[in-house]
């Protein structure tokens, strides 16, 4: 199997900048869904940018299909988060996620393994690499011990762990988790991603040159 890097984003508007700057071409558009695959090469390594749609089950099911074709060298999750106020993250800031949790669970259990945290790969790119992200299918105003939230990362981390695939997550802040969050997201999602694109490009280039 040829070396391959998968870059996974929930929304097309989160990753169109990468697609354009990397010169990738549309390989697949799944009819009736937002799911798409853009492909190309960088430094002789196959690159696919995968748009999964929002929520964990969509991200996991689409990535699972791709894993049948071959196990990639690494998966890079790229996209925006809602930051929790008072945790030190700024709108427009890009960073690596060091660990991810799952918060959207409401059933009694003493088995901590069910919602175990996952540790992710990071590397020194001059940005924070100690951020804890938590995943759920609804918005919240904050979760204990966490800095931000998204809607896909925990599922991706579970899948990558099961297949022993190195997983990186480069995130950027488009909004805070408050009443202005939805409007701030629409206002900032494209402009805030510029910092994230720089980090993601340097990371992917580093992985391709390995």
């Amino acid at each position: 199997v040829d070396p391959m890097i998968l870059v996974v984003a929930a929304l097309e508007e989160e990753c169109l900048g990468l697609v354009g700057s990397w010169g990738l071409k549309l390989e697949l558009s799944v009819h009736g869904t937002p799911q798409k695959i853009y492909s190309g090469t960088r430094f002789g390594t196959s690159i696919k940018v995968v748009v999964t749609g929002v929520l964990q089950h969509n991200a996991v099911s689409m990535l699972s299909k791709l894993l049948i074709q071959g196990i990639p060298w690494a998966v890079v999750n790229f996209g925006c988060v809602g930051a929790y106020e008072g945790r030190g993250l700024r709108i427009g800031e890009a960073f690596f996620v060091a660990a991810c949790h799952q918060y959207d669970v409401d059933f009694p259990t003493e088995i901590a393994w069910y919602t175990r945290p996952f540790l992710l790969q990071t590397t020194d790119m001059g940005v924070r690499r100690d951020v804890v992200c938590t995943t759920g299918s609804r918005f919240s105003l904050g979760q204990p011990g966490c800095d931000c939230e998204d809607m896909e990362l925990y599922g991706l981390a579970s899948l990558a762990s099961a297949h022993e695939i190195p997983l990186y997550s480069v995130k950027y802040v488009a909004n805070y988790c408050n009443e202005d969050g939805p409007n701030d997201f629409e206002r900032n999602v494209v402009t805030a991603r510029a910092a994230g694109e720089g980090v993601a490009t340097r990371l992917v280039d580093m992985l391709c040159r390995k």
Side-chain angles (χ1 to χ4, degrees), residues 42-111:
R42 286 181 75 79
F43 305 104
T45 299
S46 175
I47 299 289
K48 292 183 186 292
V49 171
V50 184
V51 181
T52 65
V54 176
L55 299 178
Q56 296 180 74
H57 61 284
N58 292 317
V60 168
S61 62
M62 190 168 189
L63 190 58
S64 296
K65 287 183 179 181
L66 289 173
L67 296 186
I68 295 173
Q69 302 173 17
I71 300 298
W73 278 5
V75 173
V76 178
N77 169 237
F78 181 73
C80 60
V81 296
Y84 295 147
E85 293 181 292
R87 299 293 297 186
L89 292 172
R90 307 181 312 276
I91 288 180
E93 181 177 1
F95 53 87
F96 282 100
V97 175
C100 64
H101 295 222
Q102 168 84 7
Y103 75 86
D104 201 2
V105 177
D106 186 16
F107 69 93
T109 178
E110 296 180 356
I111 303 176

